Amino acid sequence: MSAKPRVAVLISGRGSNMQALIEAARAPDYPAEIALVLSDKPEAPGLEIARGFGVAARAIPAKPFGRDREAHERALDAVLREQNIAIVCLAGYMRILTPWLVNRWSGRMLNIHPSLLPAYKGLDTHARVLAAGEVRHGCSVHLVTEGMDEGPVVAQAEVPVQPGDTEESLAARVLTQEHLLYPAALAKLVQTLTP
Ligand code: GRF
């Protein structure tokens, strides 16, 4: 049997999607290994969670690189290469990537976004969905391209917007689906890369 592709998860915060990926990948028949977690924020709670699962986790802060976003990404990319990473999953990674990194990982970098793309790109999706009076909402996993939240959608999950929903109740309903969707979408990408 050939080795499973090594996946890195990039986070900036709590890391609940990262944890969902780590937990899913513990199943013997899951087709990828979560080998590394990187954060631009040393204080990201997800780093400790990853270590608790025995996954290597490192912070590569952006601050020392000042405004040179690409220099920060070169530092990230060097670690990804050194660790023999095949696929990158963005999971609450709060930095906009430069075309340099996006193109380097073209077809092999996923992001999860809390809306039914192409609707509601960008931030504050739950509040905007409620303000618009939508009756359906959800989450999408997509390949990362240069435009923010614009790459081809790999998988989506829909949830109803219920009467009386708040931003918090709606976010929680979507997040439950995110935790199922991301492992499924990553497995799907792996199957397409290694037929
Ligand atoms: C999720 O809602 C994800 O869709 C968005 O950022 C949030 C990250 O949450 N991109 P977590 O860090 O995975 O808990």
Side-chain angles (χ1 to χ4, degrees), residues 13-18 91-92 94 111-114 126 175 178-179:
R14 70 185 164 182
S16 72
N17 279 289
M18 171 213 76
M94 298 307 287
N111 180 44
I112 186 154
H113 182 76
H126 310 303
L175 192 63
E178 291 185 39
H179 296 163

